[in-house]
Every structure is written in C-alpha cells, then in structure tokens.
Amino acid sequence: MRRKAWLCALLVLTLLCLSGCKAQQTPALTVDGVPVSGGVYQYYLHDALRHPAQYAITEGDEPAAAGQAETRCRQLVALDAYLKENKITVRADLKRDAVSQAEGQWALFGAHYRELGMTKPDLTRILMFDAQKKQLVQTLFGTGGKHEVALQTLKESFSKLYVGFKAFEGALTKQNEQGETVELSKAEQKALKESFRQMANRANSGTDLDALFAEYSETQGLVVVSPLSVSIMKDGDPMYDADFFSQVSALKPGETGVIESTGSLYLLQRVDITASDDDAFEAYRDEVLYREKMADVEQRVAKLGEKAVAESEN
C-alpha cells in the first residue's frame, strides 16, 4: 500500500480510538510479514497522544501520533527479528520481570486496557519489548560484550546516580493527650536540633554513629538491638523529600550532618558505597548500565525499525 493510503488508514484508526471504539483483535498492520495486533498498536497510539513530548510530536497531532505508533510497532518486530537472527536470548530474570509487570499492571488497569481493545498478551508483548532492549544493552555493553563498559566507569556513574548513608531520626512531632499528632513546641524543637547538632559534631570528631544511636535511643526509652544499616537512594526517590538527595550529596563520604525532612530530623552520615559495599554496587549494576547505554540501544533499535516494511491490514 502506498504511503498516502497508509496514512489515511492510520488517521481513520486514530479517530476511531478517540471516539471510544474498541480496537478489533485482528492485526492492525504487518511488519516484514509479521502481524502486529490492534491492541499493541492502540497502546502506542494512545501513549503518543497522552505523552506527546516523549514522542517528539505536537499535542493533539493525531496523524503524527499514528505515525509514532507505526514506528514503535516496526521497532518491536525489527528488534525481535534481530535478536533471533543473532541468536541472542533474553535472560530469564528479564523475562520474569516483564511477565510480573504485565500481571501487576493488568490487575490494576485491566479495564482501561480492555477499553483500548488490548489483551494481557498484548501488554506482555509490549513489556517484553523493553526487556529485549535491556538484553541488547547487556549483550553489547555488559560483561564480555563487544563494547563492554569498564567496571570503574560503572562505579563512577553509580556514585553519581546514587548516594548511600546511615541515619537515625528524631521526630519533630508528638502525640497530645487526645492521641493527635502535633508539632513539638518551639522550645522542644530548638532543644532537639541542638542535640542533633552536637551529635553531628561528635560523629565528625570520631564517635561511632551506632554509639550515638544507642545513646539517643536510651533517652527515648528504647533499646538498640542491631547496628544501623546502609540505605541507598537515587535522585527523585518518592520515599524522600525532593531536596533530600541534594542535601545528602552535599556531604562528603564519611561526613555527618543534620537533615530536616518530612517532620523529622535525621542524623545522617554519608557512606562511600563504591568503596565500602561491593554488594550494593552489584545490586544496582544492571540499572546503572541501562542508564548509561539504553539511549545508544534505542538509537540502534530506531535504525532497525527504519529498515522494516509495514503494511496496513485495515
């Protein structure tokens, strides 16, 4: 089918989607003879319309969204063919993660996906596409890969993307006689902050943080039964306030400071996670590699998709 006719068919399909009609579970198009279901196509179409900036299109530009949906379908088929041709097998853990994500997302948003005309296998195929890209990162840039990224480079990236720390907290709130949570008085807050400031000074003078934790816990009527563990976070972690990462990053490894966040004070000591905890690095090694090299793989997949030939089935 010629390009003009193909774009017209895509525009019709777009308008049907926007009017709330369900996609038929027949192939929306074929790519190099491989059928792509209407559900997979509709997912990418809907995603492009919802997130135009991510797809580099103008908001509300339906033909452009249709074109981007076709592009993603072409890339999906092309990458699958490339992996098969080069005998690259997706790691079992990546496959399990994709299937697990599909199960979880379908359980939460199944009604929405069904409205788009999708099936659970459609969603699994889309998430498996992401797993395949991760596998290509591993094959090209992971251990033993043709363009293996040096261990030291990964560790340096790890130390920039993540911070490690040990900490304990003191609440800036308390319960009143009615059982309600209220702020400490200004005098109580001042005393607590001064106490934490003094402990930070002691830690920076050589006092062990666990010893300080034990002392502080005793003043609260608590008994410490285990040492403080190392926490690892990345910028934007939803468990912490927006500026928490930057405050921790401002400390040098080994330095202790006082950070106020979400109604608490933290006596926090930054830890050099690359030097002191190889297990932590190994736990995040794959994610660091993906952050470093996924953009490169995305470009490679885009080129594969450009070579693929798509035809409308509608």
Side-chain angles (χ1 to χ4, degrees):
M1 181 179 289
R2 283 186 248 171
R3 182 71 180 174
K4 184 176 179 180
W6 164 239
L7 287 175
C8 289
L10 288 177
L11 180 56
V12 170
L13 193 55
T14 302
L15 295 174
L16 286 173
C17 173
L18 292 174
S19 66
C21 296
K22 296 182 181 179
Q24 297 297 317
Q25 276 310 305
T26 55
L29 66 155
T30 61
V31 178
D32 288 342
V34 178
V36 178
S37 74
V40 170
Y41 174 84
Q42 288 289 354
Y43 175 90
Y44 287 122
L45 177 62
H46 183 69
D47 198 48
L49 290 169
R50 288 187 60 202
H51 306 104
Q54 181 179 326
Y55 287 80
I57 63 175
T58 303
E59 184 174 355
D61 190 337
E62 296 160 11
Q68 286 297 318
E70 176 200 343
T71 295
R72 291 300 187 272
C73 291
R74 287 157 57 112
Q75 292 175 359
L76 181 147
V77 173
L79 178 57
D80 191 55
Y82 176 85
L83 296 183
K84 290 177 180 176
E85 181 182 343
N86 289 276
K87 297 181 174 57
I88 299 173
T89 303
V90 179
R91 277 182 355 197
D93 61 312
L94 294 176
K95 289 181 179 179
R96 285 196 302 269
D97 287 346
V99 171
S100 178
Q101 289 177 45
E103 291 288 344
Q105 290 184 27
W106 191 266
L108 291 173
F109 310 113
H112 167 70
Y113 291 133
R114 282 190 289 269
E115 282 298 314
L116 292 179
M118 293 176 62
T119 64
K120 191 187 294 186
D122 289 333
L123 181 59
T124 302
R125 181 66 191 91
I126 290 161
L127 293 172
M128 196 63 72
F129 178 43
D130 294 332
Q132 289 175 318
K133 286 186 284 188
K134 288 181 178 179
Q135 180 59 58
L136 191 54
V137 171
Q138 292 289 347
T139 300
L140 294 175
F141 305 105
T143 303
K146 183 178 179 180
H147 308 287
E148 180 178 348
V149 178
L151 179 62
Q152 186 58 36
T153 300
L154 289 177
K155 285 195 171 186
E156 288 173 359
S157 296
F158 179 50
S159 65
K160 293 175 183 176
L161 294 169
Y162 296 87
V163 291
F165 59 89
K166 295 193 296 183
F168 63 89
E169 65 180 296
L172 290 168
T173 59
K174 64 181 179 181
Q175 285 193 327
N176 61 19
E177 294 179 353
Q178 287 74 41
E180 301 169 329
T181 300
V182 297
E183 290 187 353
L184 298 179
S185 67
K186 290 184 178 180
E188 290 172 323
Q189 289 189 36
K190 182 178 179 180
L192 181 62
K193 290 178 180 178
E194 177 59 22
S195 171
F196 270 58
R197 187 189 67 80
Q198 291 181 8
M199 286 191 290
N201 288 337
R202 290 174 61 192
N204 287 323
S205 296
T207 303
D208 185 73
L209 195 68
D210 285 309
L212 294 171
F213 179 41
E215 288 181 17
Y216 178 74
S217 297
E218 187 175 355
T219 67
Q220 305 301 304
L222 303 172
V223 177
V224 174
V225 296
S226 60
L228 294 167
S229 59
V230 175
S231 297
I232 297 176
M233 70 167 295
K234 61 182 177 181
D235 196 9
D237 191 320
M239 291 182 61
Y240 301 91
D241 285 352
D243 64 343
F244 197 90
F245 181 88
S246 61
Q247 290 189 72
V248 178
S249 298
L251 298 172
K252 299 176 182 178
E255 183 181 1
T256 301
V258 180
I259 293 178
E260 184 174 343
S261 176
T262 318
S264 293
L265 287 182
Y266 291 87
L267 188 67
L268 184 147
Q269 187 172 83
R270 186 173 177 184
V271 174
D272 185 350
I273 49 179
T274 60
S276 62
D277 195 343
D278 284 338
D279 288 341
F281 168 71
E282 288 300 328
Y284 290 86
R285 181 172 182 160
D286 283 352
E287 186 172 345
V288 174
L289 183 62
Y290 300 143
R291 280 174 171 258
E292 285 290 303
K293 291 300 180 181
M294 183 57 76
D296 187 289
V297 162
E298 292 280 9
Q299 291 178 358
R300 292 169 185 257
V301 172
K303 289 180 180 179
L304 290 173
E306 290 170 1
K307 297 177 183 179
V309 178
E311 293 186 358
S312 173
E313 293 291 333
N314 296 286

